[in-house]
């Protein structure tokens, strides 16, 4: 496979969340990314609007980034962009969300609850979009309600959200089929690692490419690169995903 990859969801920024514990680990994770063909990495530490003050989060993130930069090496590490994985909150649209987008682009990585379908999600998505921002729903395969009722995800994507699936799920028996079908039907468009630690090396984007999924990952990279470049994604049509007795179709 010739293309290089863009990883839009990582917890590599050291010491700010449950990701890289220290600078050494962060630098090693960046070298691992580059070594498996990932040339562009968004740093997306968790932000929980209901638990943490907005300005405090921005300052903490900025300090960690400024500490990382002098150690960054152009030859052995990917290009970086500052971003966040923003936990869903009904008060989100009151914030200056541009500060949380991927490299201050028009794309925001938005994390929903794993267990309960968020109330008022449609109106919050709309409020985000009214700020000119496209929400990218993070690791949708982890949301039980989407696995149970894929049409809930289909409807949100039809409203203009995009969806990200995790590399780990592409090789995991329990979620693989769901993720594949979502990518095939353009219900999900982006594949990212959500890497938190060194042991997850096998789940980096460049390391999960196989003959079986190469086309899918190449297509997902076109979307990820469009987000990175802050341009419109390739045209796509969202088709329904159905849950069946044996999986998804
Ligand atoms: Fe994450």
């Amino acid at each position: 496979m010739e293309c290089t990859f863009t990883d839009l969801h990582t917890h590599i920024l050291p010491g700010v969340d449950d990701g890289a514990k220290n600078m050494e680990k962060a630098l090693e994770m960046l070298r691992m990314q580059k070594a498996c063909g990932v040339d562009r990495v968004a740093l997306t530490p968790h932000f929980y609007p209901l638990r943490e003050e907005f300005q405090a989060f921005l300052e903490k993130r900025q300090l960690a980034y400024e500490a990382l930069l002098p150690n960054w090496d152009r030859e052995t590490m990917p290009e970086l962009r500052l971003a966040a994985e923003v936990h869903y909150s009904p008060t989100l649209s009151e914030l200056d969300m541009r500060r949380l987008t991927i490299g201050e682009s028009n794309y925001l990585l938005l994390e929903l609850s794993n267990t309960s379908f968020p109330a008022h999600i449609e109106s919050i998505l709309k409020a985000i979009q009214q700020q000119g921002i496209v929400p990218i729903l993070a690791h949708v395969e982890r949301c039980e309600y989407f696995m149970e009722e894929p049409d809930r995800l289909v409807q949100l994507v039809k409203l203009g959200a995009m969806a990200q699936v995790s590399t780990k799920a592409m090789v995991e028996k329990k979620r693989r089929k769901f993720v594949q079908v979502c990518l095939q039907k353009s219900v999900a468009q982006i594949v990212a690692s959500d890497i938190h630690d060194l042991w997850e090396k096998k789940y980096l984007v460049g390391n999960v490419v196989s003959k079986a999924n190469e086309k899918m990952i190449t297509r997902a990279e076109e979307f990820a690169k469009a987000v990175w470049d802050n341009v419109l994604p390739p045209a796509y049509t969202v088709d329904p995903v159905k849950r069946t007795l044996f999986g998804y179709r």
Side-chain angles (χ1 to χ4, degrees):
M1 193 168 182
E2 280 173 24
C3 76
T4 60
F5 303 107
T6 308
D7 193 349
L8 295 177
H9 186 166
T10 73
H11 298 270
I12 296 180
L13 197 62
V16 287
D17 62 2
D18 56 346
K21 297 257 177 302
N22 54 46
M23 185 65 67
E24 230 171 90
K25 281 201 174 188
L27 299 174
E28 192 49 37
M29 282 156 84
L30 290 174
R31 285 187 210 103
M32 272 173 17
Q33 290 270 26
K34 180 81 174 181
C36 73
V38 179
D39 272 0
R40 294 161 293 277
V41 163
L43 304 164
T44 58
H46 290 286
F47 172 52
Y48 298 98
L50 295 180
R51 279 193 228 158
E52 196 174 7
E53 212 260 317
F54 182 52
Q55 281 305 328
F57 169 77
L58 294 179
E59 279 163 31
K60 177 181 77 173
R61 183 183 68 166
Q62 187 62 27
L63 282 176
Y65 190 51
E66 283 170 16
L68 176 67
L69 283 184
N71 297 292
W72 179 77
D73 172 47
R74 175 184 302 273
E75 296 301 312
T76 58
M77 295 177 193
E79 212 183 306
L80 303 177
R81 294 265 165 90
L82 208 47
E85 179 179 9
V86 181
H87 199 81
Y88 176 80
S89 144
T91 59
L92 255 187
S93 53
E94 294 163 20
L95 302 175
D96 176 7
M97 281 182 292
R98 190 70 58 176
R99 305 293 309 277
L100 299 169
T101 55
I102 297 169
E104 301 206 352
S105 69
N106 297 331
Y107 295 94
L108 178 89
L109 187 64
L110 181 66
E111 179 186 38
L112 304 182
S113 156
N114 286 345
T115 50
S116 52
F117 188 69
H120 317 297
I121 176 84
E122 288 92 350
S123 60
I124 298 298
L125 290 182
K126 200 171 172 193
I128 294 174
Q129 289 166 310
Q130 276 167 352
Q131 291 193 24
I133 293 171
V134 179
I136 301 175
L137 306 177
H139 41 55
V140 288
E141 77 285 349
R142 275 181 26 194
C143 302
E144 290 165 12
Y145 42 87
F146 290 151
M147 293 277 288
E148 276 161 25
E149 286 180 62
D151 198 50
R152 288 184 140 176
L153 176 59
V154 173
Q155 293 313 318
L156 297 183
V157 175
K158 283 190 171 171
L159 289 175
M162 290 173 75
Q164 174 250 314
V165 292
S166 302
T167 46
K168 186 178 179 190
M170 296 197 82
V171 290
E172 210 179 34
K173 205 174 171 198
K174 186 180 165 197
R175 295 189 168 91
R176 191 171 51 206
K177 188 69 186 170
F178 176 75
V179 162
Q180 280 173 356
V181 174
C182 283
L183 287 168
Q184 280 159 1
K185 308 267 178 146
S186 295
V187 170
Q189 302 81 24
I190 288 166
V191 173
S193 74
D194 191 16
I195 188 174
H196 283 68
D197 206 341
L198 288 169
W199 69 267
E200 294 165 300
K201 182 178 180 180
K202 61 185 171 184
Y203 301 129
L204 292 179
V205 183
N207 288 340
V208 297
V209 187
S210 65
K211 265 194 181 156
N213 67 19
E214 185 174 333
K215 236 178 160 179
M216 233 175 257
I217 290 185
T218 311
R219 172 81 172 153
E221 172 56 27
E222 287 176 31
F223 283 90
K225 184 66 170 39
V227 170
W228 186 266
D229 292 337
N230 197 24
V231 296
L232 286 175
Y236 61 102
T237 310
V238 181
D239 289 322
V241 170
K242 298 285 172 211
R243 191 172 170 202
T244 68
L245 269 181
F246 308 103
Y248 299 88
R249 64 172 167 79

